[in-house]
Amino acid sequence: MTTRDENTFIATWTEPFGAVWRAIAGAPTGQTPLAASGGSPKSDALADLPKTPFPFAADAVACQRVNGKLHVSFPLGAGEDIYGMGLTYRSLNQLGQAKCLRMGHYSGQEDGRTHAPMPFYISSAGYGVLLNTASRVHTYVGTTHPREAHPPLQDRVHPDWRPIQPGRTVDFYLDAPGVEILVLGGPQMLDVVRRYNLLCGGGCLPPKWGLGFWHRANMNWGEKECLELVDRYREHRLPLSVLGLEPGWHSNCYPTTHDWRTSLFPEPRRFVAALEERGVKVNLWQNPFLHPDCKLGQSLAPYSGSHTGSWGGLVPDLTLPETRRLMQEHFIKEHVAIGVSGYKHDEVDDESWLPPFFATYPSGTSPEEYYSLLGLYMQRLGFEMFRAANRRTYGLVRGSNLGASYLPYALYNDCYDHREYITGLCSSSFGGLLWCPEARTSSQAEEWLRRIQAVCFSPLAMINAWASGEMPWTFPEVAGAVREVISLRQRLIPYLYSAFAEYAFRGIPPVRAMMLEPGFSVSLDVTAGKLHGTDNPYSRPEARDVADQFMFGPSILVAPLFAGQAERRVLLPAGRWFDFYTGAEVFGPWHTIRSNLGPIPLFVKDGGVIPMLAEGDDLQPLTRWRNLEVRHYGEAEGVFSLYDDDGETFAYEQGAWTKLELAVRRNSAGRLHGCVPAPQSHSVNPAPVCTWRLTFQSTATRQGQVGMKSSTAIDRRP
Amino acid sequence: MTTRDENTFIATWTEPFGAVWRAIAGAPTGQTPLAASGGSPKSDALADLPKTPFPFAADAVACQRVNGKLHVSFPLGAGEDIYGMGLTYRSLNQLGQAKCLRMGHYSGQEDGRTHAPMPFYISSAGYGVLLNTASRVHTYVGTTHPREAHPPLQDRVHPDWRPIQPGRTVDFYLDAPGVEILVLGGPQMLDVVRRYNLLCGGGCLPPKWGLGFWHRANMNWGEKECLELVDRYREHRLPLSVLGLEPGWHSNCYPTTHDWRTSLFPEPRRFVAALEERGVKVNLWQNPFLHPDCKLGQSLAPYSGSHTGSWGGLVPDLTLPETRRLMQEHFIKEHVAIGVSGYKHDEVDDESWLPPFFATYPSGTSPEEYYSLLGLYMQRLGFEMFRAANRRTYGLVRGSNLGASYLPYALYNDCYDHREYITGLCSSSFGGLLWCPEARTSSQAEEWLRRIQAVCFSPLAMINAWASGEMPWTFPEVAGAVREVISLRQRLIPYLYSAFAEYAFRGIPPVRAMMLEPGFSVSLDVTAGKLHGTDNPYSRPEARDVADQFMFGPSILVAPLFAGQAERRVLLPAGRWFDFYTGAEVFGPWHTIRSNLGPIPLFVKDGGVIPMLAEGDDLQPLTRWRNLEVRHYGEAEGVFSLYDDDGETFAYEQGAWTKLELAVRRNSAGRLHGCVPAPQSHSVNPAPVCTWRLTFQSTATRQGQVGMKSSTAIDRRP
């Protein structure tokens, strides 16, 4: 029977942090993603954010039990755009979309089944709303109209008929006895995102090596082939930071053992050390499906579920502390202690390799709830081991949820649609997620180049050749261009690492959707859907959206090219923008890029200051910053906060870090000078459209104490 | 908390009909599809089916409450293939698939969201299982393994690793307090399907005109343009049986009024009569979203839900008898009484145009339950009006469910993938559904031809030009071939109508998946999944499946060609097969077809007898059969049961029909003779590979009394 209890049963709103409001609807039970993720709010940084008033009228949030389930409704203003709702691949603007958010492998239909199903949205009006739940949630973003409040009706046969008339609410509907609700203030969308990330513990700070280049080896390779691979990268003068081992390293795989296959790796410790000597870390693929006869499987049998995961493995119940302890014990002994750097936590996302929903787990957690949290538990389990060893880790994970910002993992999946991967890269920034738009293989050279260019401007730059055996130089006609972009990625690590420090300390995502950029205005109107004869005859309109370009660090705008594209357009935010490679000014708002197997289009905002490893240093170990090239673009004054620390441990949490303000300022005569806090200062050429270089030698070693020495002066480029 | 009540709470199995077993698990509440569809079992025909024993051990069916929901489990034998589970588009064999069956628009991901979500499967071992529920159902077909019962484990790095090891159960999991379960006996799969169809009331018998050619007109056309269209069909010497009007006929559309737009149709009665004079019926598009100001909207306002459907319409609660009565009253007065022949019930399938799941309805039915039944209610509402007027109807519907066999509607959707449409055509036969693989438009001539060829061998042959304005002759280079196949469809109506009579009286689907054909053996092994570098790196295997060819009536096998295909293979069932056009024998099991814009490949089984309208009669009105051409293929004796009745009314239910056995038999000298019950007999040429023609004049008028007069004798074709 229908019941609609008109009494809203939200307790009063509290404000645990400034502009973070919390309320409980009903009586929540079970586990939540924010608790499972285990992060601690960064109170100090939260306090630095601007204060804003509660974004709604006091009584505008409605919560009712309808048809036996929970309906929570928030106001939606006219003209508001809505972003977020977890990882998405087809569109960023969620206005007009109805979904059922649930954990699952995305495979081409954006109906809410995703690797990060997060009922958390951010409004273009500058606030956010989050439901902290592990349940499936039906979401309706401006798609519903109570019959008494419908906008004026139309007649479709009229030429000005427009199919979308957004409703005035964003609605959630879930089968739970209650839910915790958070409302986050802005005033800007970026402030909402920062607030969220800081609530989750701040963004992660990967080790420096994590930002270098990764290669996942063929799953059947052993020690010999892996060492040869490292040699071949060297021969090709390509940097390599991390080598990933795929399932074959397990003594049995599918189901897995988490013990080494000695036929391939007779002495794992020696193997890991040999790679370490060559400056390469080892990352291990794993999944939670344990061979029942292996050591780990035997010890975890009492803590595993009633049914096997894909291909026969026991599925441990990670909600139990003892399960996590036993797993960590094994992982520490067999992997962490011998120098393994981290994991790729695979297959935590999908019903098809996880047991059915009627399976049972020793803790009593239902599979629907457990699977939505499993990715969080795996990330946390991995992170905690390395944290205890005072070594930072960086890895990959296939499923995530609310609260993951502080966990050093990039998401990935199998859809392998290059455009969708870029949209995923953008959408990840709305929810404290990192995304790896994997390069696996390609049928043609151009696509291979475009994919590698894209991964080089993502949080985790990797070739995943586990099945393909591809190499960066697989396609000779683009091997030079591939080398160039990998080298550029490596040289940009000081810039990117500083951007990650902003993520960790201040919650600013290092790779961001354009909507989070000040001055960016999606000047597109909602496109009226066209009457289409076949696929889309219902005239669905497209929402305002820009999902194929993004910000990389504070001042670089990336507009990746896709295979077959001889030209594309990029929408530039307000202000002046300059080509990264030539320093030439480009003019917006829409700028057309033409390219023929050229480099990935990059644009720098006026006054952008970009520190890079010096030319030729891309094959050197990643230590403290020493020889840097610092570029300045355009005519405006600019500043870059160059962050440094030991790059490997958690000492930075105790203050063992440095920040150096690299500034380009105008002197009293109006001429631009590069400045550092030390007295060095360099006059630079004031030509209006150009790129400057300032080169320093950094000798920073201790917190707050920095020596910077100029080694060369000015290098004007055309 | 997990609970697993080990007491199976299935009441004892009863056997209401032979080899139809029924049990109740738990305490079902709410509505069910079998009740909502409203059909009455055809007891006599059911009794004619062979008896079989209960297919499982008495205690092998398990039913438990797990994690608060209902888990029902059935045994799955080694080597069994499983078909059904509602309408599917990508594969027929469901082995290895886990889904969440729910009503919704299919858009490319086969995860259980479909236009006919039916928890009903048929095993290759010759039995069927059905859960009569309106709830969403998670289904697991051989995908789960209790940990204590897993098959031998494997190691993926071995070359003989195979990713699928089917489980030993088919499992259902649903959020309901109980459910009615039916188990259906065989012994053949076709017997299971027949049993199901007869339980649902027998298959539908469309009027003869329903099997002719349909054209859905541009949505902005009025009386004038429609009449011109009829003239143009005549000019092109093309038969036209039904003209479909799209949304524009409503005085307002989106939301709709179900009143005529007088600017386009000033006198609807005159318009319908003018078409009737030309031998063309009118079919009306409609959806359940009512303009609140129209007459119907006003009268149904008290019986409508709390939220509007897409584009602002009220959504009437069709579970209430008064709602149906008021709707029928309006439809009868405005449409049925002036001669309209039927409806296309659109948009009953999808959350995106239906109100949200937190909407409420006056009856208290929850939206999740209601939307899964809405398509059934619309079909039944339409059918009942015409039945009361003693006129048969035939139409289209966008959503259906269990129990629909007797309802004269073909399903359709928007995916517009030609291959998926053919798979849909095959899958529909497992569940008492009919499918229309619409032709809407094409970017090129070849595809246009291939699509029209496919619709001409489907239950409803139609061009849906509502948005495209396409005509059969749009592409001049294939206009001749298009005309040929439309003409052939028309000439095959006696054959197809008789096949529908078999559907109505004996439950045999007129268009059938190959697996329902005796002697058809899917000689394919399960394909081991290949390691793929990108999209499918998890080595998913493909199941044994043949989803791109089907049976049309008793003896024609259709192997449609797809655009770009110069050749394809067809898998022939055991026995001898002959080319429909040439009579030449083809050899199996795999036969390769080569074609260049040729006709749709058709094959006839040895001894196949095919009655057709005489050449030139394809433009004549569809009356009682008069001049028929009867073909016989191959060398075996054969028989065809030629059904006839008035073609329009329900008088056939009172016995006003005839059946004539058209037989080709060998006489004592071993020569083939065409025979009819009347004394006429015709010797035919016994050449081994050829086609014969026997031509009769039928004057059948009353049940069981048939006059057949030979008009021509034998026509041997090369």
Side-chain angles (χ1 to χ4, degrees):
Chain A
M1 280 299 294
T2 299
T3 55
R4 185 185 278 279
D5 305 336
E6 286 301 334
N7 58 316
T8 66
F9 54 175
I10 296 183
T12 48
W13 292 92
T14 59
E15 192 175 356
F17 302 96
V20 175
W21 297 272
R22 176 176 183 271
I24 299 292
T29 58
Q31 304 192 45
T32 68
L34 288 183
S37 62
S40 304
K42 280 209 173 327
S43 317
D44 292 352
L46 279 167
D48 285 345
L49 286 170
K51 302 294 175 289
T52 59
F54 191 71
F56 311 119
D59 59 351
V61 181
C63 181
Q64 300 166 337
R65 189 158 292 282
V66 184
N67 300 322
K69 298 180 182 171
L70 199 60
H71 173 211
V72 190
S73 180
F74 298 88
L76 174 68
E80 271 185 66
D81 290 317
I82 298 294
Y83 300 94
M85 295 296 190
L87 200 60
T88 61
Y89 296 100
R90 292 232 169 143
S91 57
L92 301 180
N93 194 340
Q94 301 295 300
L95 187 67
Q97 298 197 31
K99 297 179 178 176
C100 175
L101 291 181
R102 60 203 191 279
M103 179 64 77
H105 172 57
Y106 170 76
S107 56
Q109 188 172 315
E110 194 132 278
D111 62 356
R113 179 176 157 130
T114 167
H115 301 256
M118 297 157 53
F120 169 37
Y121 69 85
I122 298 148
S123 163
S124 59
Y127 64 86
V129 171
L130 181 158
L131 262 59
N132 182 21
T133 179
S135 298
R136 300 188 161 212
V137 182
H138 289 278
T139 61
Y140 303 86
V141 181
T143 65
T144 74
H145 300 273
R147 56 190 276 190
E148 64 278 11
H150 196 279
L153 299 174
Q154 302 178 306
D155 188 352
R156 180 169 189 160
V157 303
H158 289 167
D160 60 350
W161 181 78
R162 294 175 82 79
I164 270 208
Q165 303 195 73
R168 293 280 65 89
T169 51
V170 176
D171 297 277
F172 296 96
Y173 190 58
L174 60 160
D175 188 7
V179 70
E180 179 187 35
I181 304 169
L182 296 178
V183 171
L184 309 178
Q188 301 303 319
M189 288 177 65
L190 182 58
D191 299 315
V192 180
V193 168
R194 292 180 58 192
R195 212 164 237 124
Y196 167 79
N197 289 331
L198 293 169
L199 264 178
C200 299
C204 66
L205 182 61
K208 282 184 183 175
W209 55 257
L211 303 182
F213 200 73
W214 295 48
H215 186 106
R216 301 205 76 85
N218 184 288
M219 68 171 275
N220 295 317
W221 282 8
E223 173 168 351
K224 180 167 162 290
E225 294 84 355
C226 290
L227 288 169
E228 280 172 6
L229 178 82
V230 175
D231 289 344
R232 298 201 66 197
Y233 263 75
R234 280 193 183 171
E235 284 163 23
H236 284 268
R237 299 194 52 73
L238 282 165
L240 180 64
S241 266
V242 183
L243 181 76
L245 301 185
E246 288 287 323
W249 75 267
H250 289 262
S251 61
N252 192 91
C253 63
Y254 292 89
T256 53
T257 61
H258 301 266
D259 296 322
W260 292 83
R261 186 183 298 263
T262 50
S263 59
L264 294 177
F265 300 96
E267 288 187 44
R269 185 184 292 271
R270 178 187 69 193
F271 168 69
V272 175
L275 282 181
E276 182 75 42
E277 270 170 35
R278 291 160 173 79
V280 178
K281 304 284 182 186
V282 172
N283 175 286
L284 296 181
W285 175 95
Q286 62 115 287
N287 73 10
F289 309 124
L290 304 178
H291 198 296
D293 300 336
C294 73
K295 199 172 154 197
L296 195 55
Q298 287 179 331
S299 67
L300 287 176
Y303 306 101
S304 295
S306 59
H307 286 67
T308 60
S310 196
W311 306 324
L314 297 176
V315 183
D317 182 347
L318 283 151
T319 69
L320 297 171
E322 184 63 7
T323 306
R324 301 199 293 270
R325 193 191 67 73
L326 287 166
M327 251 175 140
Q328 287 179 330
E329 188 177 83
H330 187 87
F331 290 2
I332 288 169
K333 181 170 168 224
E334 303 293 332
H335 317 145
V336 181
I338 67 168
V340 165
S341 73
Y343 296 92
K344 169 181 169 182
H345 299 295
D346 205 13
E347 301 172 355
V348 291
D349 59 310
D350 200 338
E351 296 99 328
S352 85
W353 34 72
L354 283 164
F357 285 140
F358 55 83
T360 56
Y361 287 90
S363 65
T365 310
S366 76
E368 289 203 45
E369 188 176 9
Y370 180 35
Y371 301 159
S372 77
L373 303 175
L374 177 52
L376 286 180
Y377 275 114
M378 289 310 300
Q379 292 176 71
R380 188 176 168 184
L381 178 145
F383 175 73
E384 285 175 353
M385 291 190 296
F386 287 97
R387 204 183 191 302
N390 194 29
R391 285 159 50 193
R392 276 184 255 163
T393 184
Y394 197 37
L396 292 142
V397 69
R398 224 182 131 91
S400 196
N401 210 320
L402 293 166
S405 311
Y406 86 102
L407 294 162
Y409 287 91
L411 283 154
Y412 62 95
N413 78 358
D414 283 343
C415 77
Y416 211 62
D417 179 297
H418 194 190
R419 280 188 173 277
E420 292 183 353
Y421 274 5
I422 300 304
T423 306
L425 199 57
C426 299
S427 82
S428 63
S429 64
F430 295 118
L433 305 169
L434 302 176
W435 175 256
C436 176
E438 292 193 338
R440 295 178 170 188
T441 186
S442 287
S443 56
Q444 38 129 320
E446 183 194 3
E447 207 216 13
W448 187 236
L449 173 63
R450 295 313 182 200
R451 286 191 178 269
I452 293 185
Q453 287 177 338
V455 295
C456 285
F457 283 85
S458 82
L460 198 153
M462 179 176 84
I463 290 175
N464 181 6
W466 84 290
S468 67
E470 298 296 22
M471 298 293 167
W473 51 86
T474 291
F475 295 93
E477 57 272 53
V478 296
V482 165
R483 213 203 82 76
E484 272 173 35
V485 74
I486 294 176
S487 170
L488 178 58
R489 158 75 178 206
Q490 193 78 5
R491 291 186 61 203
L492 281 169
I493 288 179
Y495 171 83
L496 182 58
Y497 192 62
S498 299
F500 264 102
E502 292 288 291
Y503 188 37
F505 289 87
R506 302 175 64 222
I508 300 171
V511 174
R512 300 180 303 287
M514 294 309 302
M515 297 78 187
L516 298 178
E517 187 63 14
F520 185 76
S521 151
V522 187
S523 53
L524 310 163
D525 195 5
V526 174
T527 315
K530 277 192 201 159
L531 198 62
H532 189 288
T534 60
D535 305 344
N536 183 12
Y538 288 91
S539 296
R540 306 264 180 135
E542 289 180 23
R544 292 176 281 266
D545 221 352
V546 173
D548 60 356
Q549 59 180 79
F550 55 88
M551 294 300 299
F552 181 80
S555 54
I556 299 178
L557 190 164
V558 186
L561 288 158
F562 302 96
Q565 249 185 354
E567 70 173 56
R568 64 157 290 172
R569 297 201 311 163
V570 57
L571 182 55
L572 300 169
R576 297 173 67 186
W577 289 81
F578 300 86
D579 184 282
F580 173 82
Y581 303 98
T582 67
E585 185 165 5
V586 293
F587 298 93
W590 285 107
H591 167 66
T592 298
I593 298 159
R594 292 183 181 81
S595 175
N596 178 21
L597 292 187
I600 184 167
L602 304 173
F603 305 95
V604 185
K605 65 171 68 165
D606 196 12
V609 175
I610 300 174
M612 300 167 67
L613 297 180
E615 200 160 347
D617 275 8
D618 56 328
L619 297 176
Q620 299 304 312
L622 288 164
T623 60
R624 300 256 174 185
W625 312 136
R626 294 185 201 283
N627 296 304
L628 297 186
E629 172 183 309
V630 181
R631 297 187 183 180
H632 170 258
Y633 286 79
E635 290 186 70
E637 293 188 333
V639 66
F640 184 89
S641 180
L642 179 69
Y643 174 84
D644 204 8
D645 62 17
D646 66 22
E648 293 188 335
T649 76
F650 288 87
Y652 75 95
E653 292 186 346
Q654 273 66 49
W657 52 268
T658 62
K659 269 189 193 163
L660 182 65
E661 299 290 302
L662 304 178
V664 173
R665 299 224 172 82
R666 287 193 187 275
N667 63 13
S668 54
R671 296 172 62 98
L672 290 164
H673 284 251
C675 319
V676 292
Q680 295 86 345
S681 175
H682 309 272
S683 65
V684 293
N685 187 330
V689 179
C690 62
T691 305
W692 317 97
R693 283 189 188 163
L694 302 172
T695 308
F696 301 92
Q697 185 175 16
S698 163
T699 58
T701 49
R702 281 174 298 146
Q703 178 191 6
Q705 298 199 344
V706 181
M708 292 289 275
K709 197 160 84 62
S710 155
S711 55
T712 66
I714 301 151
D715 177 15
R716 186 185 163 213
R717 309 223 301 180
Chain B
M1 277 302 292
T2 300
T3 55
R4 185 185 278 280
D5 304 336
E6 287 301 336
N7 57 316
T8 65
F9 54 2
I10 296 183
T12 48
W13 292 92
T14 59
E15 192 175 356
F17 302 96
V20 174
W21 296 273
R22 176 177 182 271
I24 300 291
T29 58
Q31 303 193 47
T32 67
L34 289 183
S37 63
S40 305
K42 280 210 174 323
S43 318
D44 292 352
L46 278 167
D48 285 344
L49 286 169
K51 301 293 176 286
T52 60
F54 191 71
F56 312 118
D59 59 351
V61 181
C63 181
Q64 300 165 340
R65 187 157 294 282
V66 185
N67 301 321
K69 298 180 181 172
L70 199 60
H71 174 212
V72 190
S73 180
F74 298 88
L76 174 67
E80 271 184 66
D81 291 317
I82 297 295
Y83 299 95
M85 295 295 189
L87 199 62
T88 60
Y89 297 102
R90 293 232 169 143
S91 57
L92 301 180
N93 194 339
Q94 300 295 300
L95 187 67
Q97 298 196 32
K99 297 180 178 177
C100 175
L101 291 181
R102 59 205 191 278
M103 179 64 77
H105 172 56
Y106 170 75
S107 55
Q109 188 172 316
E110 195 131 277
D111 61 356
R113 179 175 157 129
T114 166
H115 301 256
M118 295 159 52
F120 170 38
Y121 68 85
I122 298 149
S123 163
S124 60
Y127 63 86
V129 171
L130 180 159
L131 262 59
N132 183 19
T133 179
S135 298
R136 298 185 162 212
V137 182
H138 290 277
T139 60
Y140 303 86
V141 181
T143 65
T144 75
H145 300 274
R147 55 190 277 188
E148 64 277 11
H150 197 278
L153 299 175
Q154 302 178 305
D155 189 352
R156 179 168 190 162
V157 302
H158 290 168
D160 59 351
W161 180 79
R162 293 173 84 79
I164 271 206
Q165 302 195 70
R168 293 281 64 89
T169 51
V170 176
D171 297 277
F172 297 95
Y173 190 58
L174 60 158
D175 189 7
V179 69
E180 179 188 35
I181 305 168
L182 296 178
V183 171
L184 309 178
Q188 302 303 319
M189 288 177 65
L190 182 59
D191 299 315
V192 180
V193 168
R194 292 179 59 191
R195 211 164 239 123
Y196 168 79
N197 289 331
L198 293 170
L199 263 178
C200 299
C204 65
L205 181 62
K208 283 185 182 174
W209 55 257
L211 303 181
F213 200 72
W214 295 47
H215 186 107
R216 301 205 75 85
N218 185 288
M219 68 172 274
N220 296 316
W221 282 8
E223 173 167 351
K224 181 168 162 289
E225 294 85 356
C226 290
L227 289 169
E228 281 171 7
L229 178 82
V230 175
D231 289 344
R232 297 201 65 196
Y233 263 75
R234 281 193 182 169
E235 284 162 25
H236 286 268
R237 299 194 51 75
L238 282 164
L240 180 65
S241 265
V242 183
L243 181 75
L245 301 184
E246 288 287 322
W249 76 268
H250 288 263
S251 61
N252 192 90
C253 63
Y254 292 91
T256 54
T257 61
H258 301 266
D259 296 322
W260 292 83
R261 187 181 297 263
T262 50
S263 59
L264 295 177
F265 300 96
E267 288 187 43
R269 185 182 294 269
R270 178 187 68 193
F271 167 71
V272 175
L275 282 181
E276 182 76 43
E277 271 169 34
R278 291 160 174 79
V280 178
K281 304 284 180 185
V282 173
N283 175 285
L284 296 181
W285 174 96
Q286 61 114 288
N287 73 12
F289 310 124
L290 304 178
H291 198 296
D293 300 336
C294 74
K295 200 173 153 194
L296 195 54
Q298 287 178 330
S299 68
L300 287 175
Y303 306 101
S304 295
S306 59
H307 286 66
T308 59
S310 196
W311 307 322
L314 297 176
V315 183
D317 183 347
L318 283 150
T319 69
L320 297 171
E322 184 63 5
T323 306
R324 302 198 293 269
R325 193 191 65 74
L326 287 166
M327 251 174 141
Q328 287 178 329
E329 188 177 82
H330 185 88
F331 289 2
I332 288 168
K333 181 169 167 227
E334 302 295 331
H335 316 145
V336 180
I338 66 168
V340 165
S341 73
Y343 295 93
K344 170 181 169 182
H345 299 296
D346 205 14
E347 301 173 354
V348 291
D349 59 309
D350 199 340
E351 298 98 330
S352 84
W353 35 70
L354 283 163
F357 284 141
F358 56 84
T360 56
Y361 287 90
S363 65
T365 310
S366 76
E368 289 202 47
E369 188 176 10
Y370 180 34
Y371 302 159
S372 77
L373 303 175
L374 178 52
L376 287 179
Y377 275 113
M378 288 310 301
Q379 292 176 71
R380 187 176 169 184
L381 178 146
F383 174 74
E384 285 176 353
M385 291 189 296
F386 286 97
R387 201 181 194 305
N390 195 26
R391 286 159 49 194
R392 277 184 256 165
T393 184
Y394 197 37
L396 292 142
V397 69
R398 225 184 129 92
S400 195
N401 210 321
L402 292 165
S405 313
Y406 85 101
L407 293 162
Y409 287 91
L411 282 154
Y412 62 96
N413 78 359
D414 282 344
C415 77
Y416 211 62
D417 179 297
H418 193 190
R419 280 189 174 275
E420 292 184 354
Y421 274 6
I422 299 304
T423 306
L425 199 57
C426 298
S427 83
S428 63
S429 65
F430 296 116
L433 305 170
L434 303 176
W435 175 255
C436 176
E438 293 193 337
R440 294 179 170 188
T441 185
S442 288
S443 56
Q444 38 128 321
E446 183 194 4
E447 207 217 11
W448 187 236
L449 173 63
R450 295 312 183 201
R451 287 191 179 271
I452 293 184
Q453 287 177 339
V455 295
C456 285
F457 283 85
S458 82
L460 198 151
M462 179 175 82
I463 290 176
N464 181 5
W466 82 290
S468 66
E470 299 295 23
M471 298 292 167
W473 51 85
T474 290
F475 295 94
E477 57 271 55
V478 295
V482 165
R483 214 202 81 75
E484 272 173 34
V485 73
I486 295 175
S487 169
L488 177 58
R489 158 76 179 206
Q490 193 76 6
R491 291 186 60 203
L492 281 169
I493 288 179
Y495 172 82
L496 181 58
Y497 191 63
S498 298
F500 265 102
E502 291 288 290
Y503 189 37
F505 288 87
R506 301 176 64 223
I508 300 172
V511 174
R512 300 181 304 287
M514 294 310 302
M515 296 78 187
L516 298 178
E517 187 64 13
F520 185 78
S521 151
V522 185
S523 53
L524 308 164
D525 195 3
V526 174
T527 315
K530 278 192 199 160
L531 197 61
H532 189 290
T534 60
D535 303 347
N536 184 12
Y538 289 90
S539 296
R540 305 264 179 137
E542 287 179 26
R544 295 176 280 266
D545 220 352
V546 173
D548 61 355
Q549 60 180 81
F550 55 90
M551 294 300 298
F552 181 80
S555 54
I556 299 178
L557 190 165
V558 185
L561 288 159
F562 302 96
Q565 247 185 355
E567 70 173 56
R568 64 156 290 171
R569 298 201 310 163
V570 58
L571 182 55
L572 300 169
R576 295 173 68 184
W577 289 82
F578 300 86
D579 184 282
F580 173 84
Y581 303 97
T582 66
E585 184 165 7
V586 292
F587 298 94
W590 285 109
H591 167 65
T592 298
I593 298 159
R594 291 183 181 81
S595 176
N596 178 21
L597 292 187
I600 184 168
L602 304 174
F603 305 94
V604 185
K605 64 172 67 166
D606 195 13
V609 175
I610 301 174
M612 299 168 66
L613 298 181
E615 200 159 346
D617 275 7
D618 56 330
L619 298 176
Q620 299 303 311
L622 289 163
T623 59
R624 301 256 175 187
W625 311 134
R626 293 185 202 282
N627 297 303
L628 298 184
E629 173 183 309
V630 181
R631 297 187 184 181
H632 171 259
Y633 287 79
E635 292 185 70
E637 292 187 333
V639 65
F640 185 90
S641 178
L642 179 69
Y643 174 83
D644 203 9
D645 61 17
D646 65 23
E648 292 189 336
T649 76
F650 289 88
Y652 76 96
E653 292 187 343
Q654 272 66 50
W657 52 269
T658 62
K659 268 189 193 165
L660 182 65
E661 300 289 303
L662 305 178
V664 173
R665 300 224 170 81
R666 287 192 187 276
N667 61 16
S668 54
R671 296 174 60 97
L672 289 164
H673 284 252
C675 320
V676 293
Q680 295 86 343
S681 175
H682 309 272
S683 66
V684 292
N685 188 329
V689 179
C690 63
T691 306
W692 288 280
R693 284 187 188 165
L694 301 172
T695 307
F696 302 92
Q697 185 175 16
S698 162
T699 56
T701 49
R702 282 175 299 146
Q703 179 190 7
Q705 299 199 343
V706 180
M708 293 287 276
K709 196 162 84 62
S710 155
S711 56
T712 68
I714 300 150
D715 176 17
R716 185 183 167 216
R717 309 225 300 181

